[in-house]
Amino acid sequence: MKTAIISDIHGNKDALIAVLLDIKNRNIHSIYNLGDSIYGPLFPIETYEILVKSNIQNVRGNCDRILLEQNFDNPTVQYVQDLLKDEHKTWLSNLPFSLETKEFYFCHGTPTSDEMYLMEEMSATGPILKKTEDISSMVNGISQNIIFCAHTHVPRVVYLPNNKIVINPGSVGLPAYEDSFPIYHKMESGSPFANYTIVTKQDDDWIVEQIHVPYNRDAAILQSEKNGRIDWAIALKTGRI
């Protein structure tokens, strides 16, 4: 009756190992991953190997898609691309945009885009929660009442008047980042822990648990610094930019 939802691992194998151990210790066997699995200056191949050996259903994130694009001018993208072999590229190319079950709908960003935020909009002062009607309109065509999205790296739950619940599990591997799309903004979870979500059906209701798992971050921080990503090192240390 319990389902675990993970996302935005970003090549952080140690965070993923800690989260999967926590899930195993809770005797949960159903796991869904919302994408952005191996992009980052960390351990992409090791993370891939953990995922393919685990019983996890994966969807595609925008960073999964970017890794298959050519001439993408970004040193971290190049770092990962240089490590990819045909089997890794095949796995990435076969990831579905979304997944559906009777109860759940899973996507990375929104039901129509892997790089837009479903619950947040950007302002000059940073991200703010969208109006209820705006979120509702973006999931209007989804038949399931429980909708999972990711991409922001910040855990959030929004209840809609039509009994739909939109849930973001946060990020397993990168608790904060900055981006220039659609305007410059920072997304910060505020803690260095690995985040994921558990949902449990109880009668006609759903219990949503946002889990925060501590883990040894030393190797990930060192690897970030080695690859020139001090911003990642700070995010991994503090959960902030």
Side-chain angles (χ1 to χ4, degrees):
M1 297 298 293
K2 292 180 179 289
T3 301
I5 301 88
I6 65 176
S7 190
D8 294 284
I9 305 162
H10 283 284
N12 192 335
K13 65 177 178 63
D14 295 311
L16 177 59
I17 290 169
V19 164
L20 292 181
L21 179 59
D22 191 73
I23 292 171
K24 179 180 178 181
N25 289 340
R26 296 170 187 266
N27 199 31
I28 301 172
H29 304 289
S30 179
I31 307 174
Y32 290 85
N33 171 27
L34 305 184
D36 280 7
S37 297
I38 65 174
Y39 165 79
L42 303 179
F43 310 101
I45 304 307
E46 295 89 337
T47 300
Y48 161 83
E49 290 171 349
I50 295 170
L51 287 171
V52 296
K53 293 176 182 177
S54 304
N55 185 25
I56 299 174
Q57 299 293 312
N58 303 279
V59 302
R60 185 195 77 194
N62 63 305
C63 289
D64 301 315
R65 170 176 52 79
I66 285 170
L67 289 175
L68 296 173
E69 297 179 359
Q70 301 298 317
N71 302 317
F72 198 94
D73 187 20
N74 179 298
T76 302
V77 171
Q78 190 64 55
Y79 163 74
V80 180
Q81 288 180 334
D82 288 346
L83 295 171
L84 297 179
K85 295 184 174 9
D86 287 344
E87 68 172 285
H88 311 125
K89 295 176 183 177
T90 298
W91 182 78
L92 287 168
S93 64
N94 287 334
L95 292 173
F97 176 85
S98 61
L99 287 171
E100 298 182 46
T101 68
K102 179 181 178 181
E103 303 275 12
F104 305 138
Y105 177 88
F106 305 92
C107 65
H108 181 74
T110 75
T112 59
S113 170
D114 62 16
E115 60 183 359
M116 293 183 64
Y117 299 140
L118 180 52
M119 293 187 280
E120 290 86 0
E121 63 183 354
M122 295 305 118
S123 70
T125 57
I128 58 175
L129 183 64
K130 289 179 181 176
K131 295 178 180 179
T132 298
E133 56 267 31
D134 292 336
I135 300 174
S136 296
S137 67
M138 298 186 78
V139 299
N140 188 46
I142 304 302
S143 61
Q144 293 85 350
N145 283 337
I146 308 299
I147 299 164
F148 296 98
C149 65
H151 193 39
T152 69
H153 297 208
V154 179
R156 188 189 285 277
V157 180
V158 168
Y159 293 82
L160 300 176
N162 57 2
N163 293 323
K164 292 186 185 296
I165 305 172
V166 185
I167 302 167
N168 188 321
S171 173
V172 169
L174 183 62
Y177 68 91
E178 56 187 342
D179 197 358
S180 58
F181 178 82
I183 61 173
Y184 175 80
H185 61 278
K186 297 188 290 186
M187 303 300 290
E188 301 174 305
S189 71
S191 88
F193 301 135
N195 297 143
Y196 79 99
T197 295
I198 299 171
V199 290
T200 308
K201 186 75 174 287
Q202 189 173 80
D203 298 325
D204 292 329
D205 294 319
W206 289 95
I207 297 174
V208 181
E209 301 173 80
Q210 301 284 33
I211 310 298
H212 305 262
V213 182
Y215 68 99
N216 189 323
R217 307 184 306 281
D218 292 348
I221 292 169
L222 183 62
Q223 188 75 350
S224 295
E225 294 171 340
K226 177 182 175 182
N227 284 319
R229 294 302 301 264
I230 304 304
D231 55 332
W232 280 58
I234 293 171
L236 290 165
K237 290 176 183 178
T238 66
R240 292 185 177 275
I241 290 293

